[in-house]
Amino acid sequence: MAINKLAISKKVAREINPDMIGLFFEDINFAADGGLYAELLENRSFEAIKTKGTGRNYVLTEDNLYAWSSVEGKEGALEINCNQPISEKNPHYLRFTAFADGEGFANKAYDGVCLKKDAKYKVSFYAKEVDYSEGDIEAKVVKDGTVYADVTVKFVAAKPEPDGYKQMVGDCEDKIWRKYETVLTAGNDIKGAQFEIHLTKAGIVEFDIVSMIPEDAVAGVFRKDLFKALADLNPGFLRFPGGCIVEGTSIMRRYRWKDTVGPIENRKINTNLWAAVGGNTSLAWEMPDSHYMQSYGIGFYEYFLLCELLSNKRTCKAVPVLNIGVACQFRSYETIAIDDPAFDEYVQDALDLIEFANGPVDSKWGALRAKMGHPESFKLEMIAIGNEQWESRHVNVADRYKIFEKAIHDKYPEIKCLGTAGPFVNHELHTGAWNVYHEESKTNPNYSYAVDEHYYVAPQWLYDNVAFYDNYPRDVYVFAGEYAAHDANLSNSVEAGVAEAAMMTGMERNGDVVKLASYAPLFNRIGHSHWTPDMIWFNEDSVTLTPSYYVQKLFSDYAGTQTLELNDQEKMLRNSQLYVSLVKMGDKAVLKVVNGKDEDQVLELNTEDGNSLICDAEVITMKAASGKAIVPEASDAIAADNNHAVSTEIMSNAELCAKRCPEEASYTSEKIKLSGSIDLPAKSVIAVAFDL
């Protein structure tokens, strides 16, 4: 067993950001709709669009009845209308005809409705009479003919319209949209069921915005178990809403934050670019999740609210990302020229967003925030200008950033603007972007607080680049906004988590320049994956925490305010595939050690005067649950080309997820008497906390 040595210093080396470790949220892999957003029904507003396409070639068609069907299978029972919508922003709605008493229609939901015995579920819908003067409405959850939850709602019928002169002068009660709310209680556990609405009498009624949300949803919005997984990480910030969805497959389909606030019925539903080919899992002209949409049930208000709800151990700061007049460069050449008057809208959106987050209640956007239930400021501090754009003959990123930065700082000088260095590191585009930020900062130190850089790389790259930030200039800070180790099978292996932890020791040692860091992507609904690996995997009723999750938790829970001097000892330890950082956390020191070897090692710990370090300590360990980490190898769930995506003709998404599933990890904490050394299991990440 290899033995290595480290002397523990009490000398402060650098001030660092204790809130460095945060979260990056993008609605990919059903992260929002079908995931964190607790809504159980699909296409609740009858606005679905089918997306087909690859690369820069897309076909979008309306498919408003997606996820809905007649329970009796009668043709003509379901029709889409757009004559008198609740909101012109979502103009389509359902006209349902019950040809006989008791007929109904159903929603298939995400992988079917999942109920827990005795749990309660809030059901709501808008309904308008067409021809239904008698009868009520029944909502139920059914599977194979068995009813698992059932409730009857009293329907408010219009008064009969009089004939002749009185009708002409309007002496009658209009048939109008009314909102109905009720509660379903589950009689038993069930998965794979469908939600149904029935008319107790024959007739015609129109419906829109049909919703079913568990009563235990956090703030009535967030799925409870997924929220808990996020809260347990104690994140320092939340970057949202993406990612590529900020840009969209076209300018028309870009993310507009103003479409996501206000009443649900007024939020203009959008397509999701992840409904088409573009990730690293399934490959097909028409993807299995071709109807993947953005309902905006989680909009910008809810993102800000989520930050507040996650602020427990520390404040979770909001980091919203804005479109800069560019569609996704991987999918489109479409841009809005900076001399086009339409470009001004993008800049104004940034200013209005700051007013929405922080403005007084008598301002236009501050008043909307207050009306939504939050008169207090959200205390927004940072805003990201663009996602991962790069300079090209189509896109002048630097010029766009400069216009945004000037407009924001002219009105809100206190806001920290974040730039982007594109989607690659160790590339001329990355270097060129950084050169601009460094040059501009010479005359305008407020030009960019931090620059967002992304890297999805092999584990070995992370081991080899632990010192990546050692020689970065300190004039502009770093935001490692998206990163992950991609092993040979694109799975969440212990190997990948250990490599990420090694890189994070380098981030932490350079915490004076690396101010923010977030793993990506965050969520993956099993069977609906567009990208792996991901931090948290889940299905309709369970959550799987990956090795990468535990690594993030360890670095977040045991973050420091200062680094302690290592005197270049970390360089020698790398020869033994040991990667370390040492920080001060309150009156304690926290040593993080990553063992990248496939064998156990021992690290001897000494004080500065050469004595063995003997004290009480807490030891936190992440390692393979089996005791020996797997050696990742590519399976048939990896294709040799197309960014590793596998044709749906070869393998279903569920099968692919099963073959890339996370390796089980062990995450433990114990109090010990430290006696001069610490055992380091093979392929492990360890934090040792002790009094200074």
Side-chain angles (χ1 to χ4, degrees), residues 40-41 108-109 111-115 141 190-195 212:
L40 296 178
L41 304 185
K108 73 179 186 65
D111 300 319
V113 174
C114 176
L115 300 181
V141 174
I190 190 62
K191 290 200 266 187
Q194 66 181 20
F195 173 83
M212 180 179 178

Side-chain angles (χ1 to χ4, degrees), residues 150-466:
D150 187 14
V151 66
T152 299
V153 180
K154 180 67 176 175
F155 183 74
V156 180
K159 294 178 181 178
E161 295 178 353
D163 294 327
Y165 174 77
K166 287 187 177 181
Q167 182 180 7
M168 293 175 64
V169 298
D171 190 12
C172 61
E173 184 174 327
D174 291 338
K175 296 174 179 179
I176 61 173
W177 287 106
R178 289 183 172 86
K179 187 174 183 179
Y180 295 85
E181 297 176 289
T182 188
V183 174
L184 280 172
T185 301
N188 214 332
D189 292 345
I190 190 62
K191 290 200 266 187
Q194 66 181 20
F195 173 83
E196 298 180 2
I197 285 181
H198 294 254
L199 303 189
T200 61
K201 299 289 184 180
I204 305 173
V205 177
E206 292 176 331
F207 292 88
D208 203 358
I209 314 176
V210 187
S211 173
M212 180 179 178
I213 294 179
E215 197 171 57
D216 66 359
V218 178
V221 176
F222 308 107
R223 181 172 144 176
K224 186 177 180 180
D225 55 352
L226 295 181
F227 173 85
K228 183 180 185 303
L230 300 184
D232 287 348
L233 287 170
N234 294 304
F237 65 90
L238 175 69
R239 174 179 174 237
F240 61 86
C244 291
I245 64 166
V246 170
E247 302 144 359
T249 56
S250 68
I251 289 294
M252 179 181 176
R253 295 295 173 182
R254 74 186 187 276
Y255 195 106
R256 294 179 171 97
W257 76 263
K258 291 175 181 176
D259 287 343
T260 78
V261 295
I264 288 291
E265 58 269 23
N266 289 333
R267 300 187 187 187
K268 185 176 174 60
I269 292 168
N270 198 5
T271 56
N272 190 315
L273 60 74
W274 295 109
V277 170
N280 62 22
T281 55
S282 300
L283 174 68
W285 170 250
E286 182 180 326
M287 296 282 278
D289 293 320
S290 59
H291 296 87
Y292 189 15
M293 302 284 291
Q294 298 178 78
S295 74
Y296 294 143
I298 296 179
F300 261 51
Y301 177 85
E302 287 77 20
Y303 283 122
F304 283 121
L305 182 62
L306 180 59
C307 289
E308 284 196 347
L309 294 170
L310 292 175
S311 296
N312 186 11
K313 179 180 178 181
R314 54 171 59 90
T315 298
C316 179
K317 297 180 180 179
V319 184
V321 186
L322 294 184
N323 189 295
I324 59 171
V326 178
C328 179
Q329 285 177 265
F330 289 109
R331 298 167 173 86
S332 173
Y333 298 115
E334 190 178 7
T335 64
I336 299 296
I338 59 176
D339 58 356
D340 187 328
F343 182 74
D344 296 341
E345 176 188 343
Y346 294 79
V347 178
Q348 189 61 47
D349 279 350
L351 300 176
D352 291 344
L353 174 59
I354 297 168
E355 182 176 287
F356 177 76
N358 296 352
V361 296
D362 58 354
S363 64
K364 175 181 177 180
W365 294 103
L368 176 59
R369 182 194 69 241
K371 188 176 181 180
M372 293 182 72
H374 202 285
E376 303 82 11
S377 166
F378 279 121
K379 301 178 182 178
L380 177 66
E381 297 180 14
M382 295 178 280
I383 194 164
I385 301 171
N387 171 42
E388 57 180 15
Q389 281 72 48
W390 61 90
E391 290 286 340
S392 73
R393 64 189 180 92
H394 300 284
V395 181
N396 48 347
V397 180
D399 293 341
R400 292 166 186 271
Y401 180 92
K402 185 175 291 187
I403 293 170
F404 271 83
E405 183 272 332
K406 184 178 188 307
I408 291 170
H409 284 152
D410 281 352
K411 189 169 184 178
Y412 301 106
E414 73 281 5
I415 295 294
K416 297 172 182 175
C417 292
L418 309 179
T420 175
F424 314 109
V425 293
N426 288 346
H427 190 281
E428 61 182 10
L429 293 174
H430 176 262
T431 303
W434 267 106
N435 287 341
V436 172
Y437 291 109
H438 290 310
E439 187 63 30
E440 291 291 340
S441 71
K442 292 178 182 178
T443 55
N444 180 8
N446 204 30
Y447 186 71
S448 180
Y449 172 72
V451 175
D452 182 15
E453 50 186 37
H454 300 171
Y455 38 97
Y456 299 102
V457 292
Q460 192 58 50
W461 189 94
L462 296 176
Y463 289 130
D464 293 342
N465 286 274
V466 168

Side-chain angles (χ1 to χ4, degrees), residues 364-598:
K364 175 181 177 180
W365 294 103
L368 176 59
R369 182 194 69 241
K371 188 176 181 180
M372 293 182 72
H374 202 285
E376 303 82 11
S377 166
F378 279 121
K379 301 178 182 178
L380 177 66
E381 297 180 14
M382 295 178 280
I383 194 164
I385 301 171
N387 171 42
E388 57 180 15
Q389 281 72 48
W390 61 90
E391 290 286 340
S392 73
R393 64 189 180 92
H394 300 284
V395 181
N396 48 347
V397 180
D399 293 341
R400 292 166 186 271
Y401 180 92
K402 185 175 291 187
I403 293 170
F404 271 83
E405 183 272 332
K406 184 178 188 307
I408 291 170
H409 284 152
D410 281 352
K411 189 169 184 178
Y412 301 106
E414 73 281 5
I415 295 294
K416 297 172 182 175
C417 292
L418 309 179
T420 175
F424 314 109
V425 293
N426 288 346
H427 190 281
E428 61 182 10
L429 293 174
H430 176 262
T431 303
W434 267 106
N435 287 341
V436 172
Y437 291 109
H438 290 310
E439 187 63 30
E440 291 291 340
S441 71
K442 292 178 182 178
T443 55
N444 180 8
N446 204 30
Y447 186 71
S448 180
Y449 172 72
V451 175
D452 182 15
E453 50 186 37
H454 300 171
Y455 38 97
Y456 299 102
V457 292
Q460 192 58 50
W461 189 94
L462 296 176
Y463 289 130
D464 293 342
N465 286 274
V466 168
F468 190 71
Y469 295 112
D470 285 8
N471 297 314
Y472 259 50
R474 265 51 182 173
D475 57 333
V476 181
Y477 299 138
V478 172
F479 178 13
E482 297 181 32
Y483 67 91
H486 282 193
D487 69 23
N489 200 43
L490 294 181
S491 58
N492 285 102
S493 60
V494 168
E495 172 65 47
V498 170
E500 289 153 8
M503 186 69 180
M504 292 171 74
T505 64
M507 294 179 184
E508 191 167 65
R509 285 188 301 97
N510 291 282
D512 60 326
V513 66
V514 183
K515 294 296 183 181
L516 307 163
S518 49
Y519 177 99
L522 180 57
F523 284 121
N524 180 28
R525 181 161 183 146
I526 300 168
H528 301 277
S529 178
H530 313 103
W531 185 279
T532 69
D534 310 283
M535 194 196 298
I536 300 167
W537 290 46
F538 67 96
N539 60 19
E540 64 269 36
D541 66 345
S542 66
V543 178
T544 299
L545 305 178
T546 66
S548 296
Y549 176 93
Y550 291 120
V551 167
Q552 296 293 316
K553 179 170 176 57
L554 184 149
F555 275 80
S556 178
D557 285 349
Y558 295 89
T561 55
Q562 299 167 319
T563 62
L564 298 176
E565 188 63 65
L566 286 169
N567 298 309
D568 291 338
Q569 296 175 93
E570 76 281 2
K571 298 177 182 178
M572 294 297 296
L573 289 172
R574 286 178 212 150
N575 296 328
S576 298
Q577 292 177 246
L578 294 180
Y579 310 91
V580 300
S581 63
L582 181 63
V583 300
K584 183 178 180 182
M585 184 180 74
D587 57 359
K588 292 184 179 294
V590 179
L591 171 67
K592 299 184 183 75
V593 187
V594 177
N595 181 9
K597 276 192 174 182
D598 288 318

